[in-house]
Structures are given as structure tokens and as C-alpha cells.
Amino acid sequence: MDEAEPFTYDGGRVDPGERTNVRYTVSETYLGDPVRIPVTVVVGEEPGPTAFLSAAAHGDELNGVEVVREVAHEWDLDDLRGTLICLPVLNVPGFIAQERYLPVYDRDLNRSFPGKAGSTSAKRMARRIFDNFVAPCDVGLDLHTSTRGRTNMLHVRADMADSSVARVAKAFASNVIIDGQGPEGTLRREASEAGTATVTVEMGEAHRFQREFIDRALVGVESVLAEFGILPTERVRWPGWRTIVEGSSEKTWLRADAGGLVDMHAARGGVVREGETICTIANPFKTERTHVEAPFTGLLVGILENPVVYPGNPLCHLVKLDGDTLDAIERSDGTGSPRDPTSPTVAE
């Protein structure tokens, strides 16, 4: 029978049955002080896959931070098989400044993977993170929120053409999966291409903890770890209904054609019918109004939170629904709202 193996990284080792909390150096400040990311590594006494959970690649996206912290420090992981790597804050400089990007030349850490030694500050940081804590893994969940001023319903983004990645995406038990590789340099794309099947989880908005999203994401994490036998005592979830959005014709960002103040008539996660008014844009006197209508029947995956727009600003992210999915949503609770995957269900 195979035995559990230690997890090693540059500068450290964690043996089976042990856990460690480290602040791992990935860069230096202008004063030469170390920039350290928090990392928790838990190695089970029994062999199994290695998985990572990461958050705050964008420093102001906080929901995922709490998800990773709770898994690492509040869950009972005594029965863990394999290794779990918890990375609650990847972009420490951005997190400290509460900014999306690295404050160093305003670079996007989540466009810098897998990184490169001897390159930009962002790529150097990305390389340290990738080589030590991502590449050794079999499975990865990278947690995000929408950018400031917008909010997303909980959903997964994944390259469904990759069977290993599709397995992770489906196991997370979200109602919506948006298919695609993702842009070059994103953690999920580069990790998946390197052999670590990774998906992005989107949920809520920046600059806050939103308990409803945190709790639902924790269910998804548990479901993935159960699917891969890392938490063998838990079960894989089925969300009640699911739609996989493929191709640009099945999704669209609706943008403002006029500047003004927005009155949103539909909720995040709500169903809108073709031709239905999603929102209106009015001037300060309310003498001129622009009605924004749904081009097709779909689900509002993301909507505007900040109610002021210039022409061209995004208003909502709409994904197309087929008839069977629409029927399933309406049966789920009678209102068209997504079913809570924490409710009892049968595994798919």
C-alpha cells in the first residue's frame, strides 16, 4: 500500500499528519523588507491528491479570503487524504492597499502566471507562488469576486474541453459554468495547462465579506474535495440545476449607450425574458430615459452596483438559457431564483 508523502517547497517541508502556517517570501518592498504571503499546508496521514485553494489574486476581492481561512483553520481535517494548500492572500501588496492590482506599476498579478524569474515584479512573484504551491498540485480552486461597482452571482469559469478541469467544475456544484480557457496569464489557465486542473470561482463583490457567498462557496469546496477523495467522509453535491455556457453567442455584457443614473429592475441571479427591460438610464432631471432590454432570455450572472455610468460602461452580464434549463430553474423554487446548493440533494 502506498504511503503518504511529505510536501516540500523551497525552504520547507511538511510531513504526513502535520500542518504548518508560514509567511512565504515572494518579493521585497522599496525598503528591502520581505513581502510575504500567508500559506497553510496540511498533509494527511493517508496518501491522496494535492489541492490548492487561493484567493485575493486581486487585492480587494475579499470573499474568497474568508473561504480559504475557514477551510484552513475551522474545518476538521483529521481525515484528510493527500495534501491541502491554502493561500488566502496571493496579492499581499494589493491587499494591504485594498487595490485590485499590485501597487507596483499597477500590474495585474492574475495576468502574470506562471511568472518568470528575472522579469517584472509581478512575474517574479507569480513564479515563486506557481513553482512552490501551484505546480505540485493536482487540483486547484482560485476564488474571485467581481470588480468594484459590480456584483456576480456565484458561478464557475473553466475550460470544459479539458476533462480534468471539467471534473473540478462540475464537482463544485454551482448552477452556472462559463466555458473557456481564460485569458493568458490567469492562474487557472496557466495552472491547467501545466497539469493542475484549476477553475475560477466568481462570487459577489469586492471590498466586503458576504456571508451568503462564503457559505455557498464552502459547500462547493467540500464537494470538490469529496469528488477527489481528499475528504472521503463528505459527499459530492448536485446544485438542483446547471447550465454550461459555451461560446460568445450564449453570453454578453450589455453596456450603456447613454450616460446617467441607472435604475436596475432585475436582480443578480434573476431570469429575464427576451425584450424585458433590465434597467433604465436617466439624466438628473429624469426627463430623458434609455431602456435597456434583454436581447434574449437569460440569467443575470453579474449586474452593476454603482448606479452611475458613462456611455460604454458595463451594466450586466447576461447568459442565455435554453428551454430545459429555464424549466428546471422555475421548478427549483417557483420564482426563477437559483436553488441554494446547501439544501439536501442527490449527487449527480
Side-chain angles (χ1 to χ4, degrees):
M1 179 178 178
D2 292 338
E3 294 183 353
E5 297 182 353
F7 179 82
T8 60
Y9 56 93
D10 184 11
R13 166 184 170 129
V14 187
D15 289 315
E18 294 183 352
R19 84 160 52 216
T20 188
N21 298 318
V22 299
R23 294 181 182 271
Y24 191 76
T25 300
V26 295
S27 189
E28 294 180 354
T29 70
Y30 292 129
L31 297 176
D33 297 323
V35 173
R36 298 187 177 107
I37 65 169
V39 184
T40 298
V41 180
V42 185
V43 181
E45 295 182 352
E46 299 294 330
T50 299
F52 79 84
L53 309 176
S54 62
H58 295 132
D60 58 356
E61 298 181 0
L62 304 184
N63 279 329
V65 175
E66 185 61 9
V67 173
V68 179
R69 290 172 69 232
E70 289 197 22
V71 172
H73 305 296
E74 295 185 21
W75 280 17
D76 181 357
L77 299 174
D78 289 344
D79 294 330
L80 187 78
R81 293 183 179 176
T83 298
L84 184 61
I85 301 170
C86 297
L87 304 155
V89 182
L90 292 182
N91 181 354
V92 166
F95 180 82
I96 291 171
Q98 275 302 280
E99 295 178 1
R100 179 177 176 87
Y101 301 125
L102 284 162
V104 186
Y105 302 120
D106 207 30
R107 294 188 183 273
D108 188 345
L109 183 61
N110 201 37
R111 295 295 185 274
S112 303
F113 290 100
K116 183 179 180 181
S119 184
T120 65
S121 54
K123 288 189 175 182
R124 292 180 188 217
M125 289 177 63
R127 188 83 248 177
R128 294 279 289 168
I129 295 167
F130 197 89
D131 286 351
N132 285 282
F133 303 112
V134 174
C137 295
D138 303 292
V139 177
L141 298 174
D142 187 31
L143 305 169
H144 287 258
T145 76
S146 187
T147 190
R148 61 185 180 181
R150 302 203 295 268
T151 182
N152 285 329
M153 68 176 287
L154 185 142
H155 68 279
V156 166
R157 298 182 182 182
D159 181 5
M160 300 300 283
D162 183 325
S163 60
S164 297
V165 174
R167 182 182 175 192
V168 181
K170 291 178 178 179
F172 192 81
S174 66
N175 295 119
V176 176
I177 300 171
I178 296 181
D179 181 22
Q181 283 186 298
E184 289 186 7
T186 54
L187 179 54
R188 70 164 168 112
R189 174 169 174 167
E190 303 302 334
S192 296
E193 290 183 353
T196 302
T198 302
V199 305
T200 295
V201 178
E202 293 278 353
M203 52 175 174
E205 58 189 287
H207 291 294
R208 66 198 67 215
F209 283 165
Q210 295 170 288
R211 196 69 236 179
E212 62 176 302
F213 288 108
I214 293 166
D215 288 342
R216 290 186 68 185
L218 286 167
V219 172
V221 171
E222 184 181 83
S223 181
V224 170
L225 297 183
E227 167 69 20
F228 287 87
I230 300 170
L231 287 181
T233 58
E234 303 302 332
R235 65 188 179 91
V236 182
R237 304 296 184 110
W238 163 242
W241 61 269
R242 174 185 291 141
T243 186
I244 298 175
V245 182
E246 301 173 334
S248 58
S249 64
E250 295 189 3
K251 61 182 183 292
T252 186
W253 272 99
L254 298 182
R255 294 182 177 272
D257 289 329
L261 289 85
V262 179
D263 184 11
M264 191 69 63
H265 304 305
R268 176 194 61 218
V271 173
V272 291
R273 307 280 178 166
E274 182 176 355
E276 182 179 341
T277 297
I278 297 174
C279 63
T280 55
I281 305 171
N283 66 18
F285 309 106
K286 293 191 173 184
T287 55
E288 297 180 7
R289 286 185 171 85
T290 300
H291 294 262
V292 179
E293 298 181 349
F296 49 74
T297 296
L299 189 72
L300 286 170
V301 171
I303 63 171
L304 186 75
E305 286 281 283
N306 185 345
V308 295
V309 293
Y310 277 108
N313 286 167
L315 297 167
C316 62
H317 188 191
L318 183 67
V319 301
K320 187 175 289 187
L321 297 174
D322 59 32
D324 291 341
T325 303
L326 185 60
D327 289 343
I329 294 173
E330 292 174 339
R331 288 196 305 269
S332 65
D333 66 1
T335 66
S337 298
R339 180 175 179 165
D340 182 352
T342 62
S343 61
T345 55
V346 178
E348 185 180 20

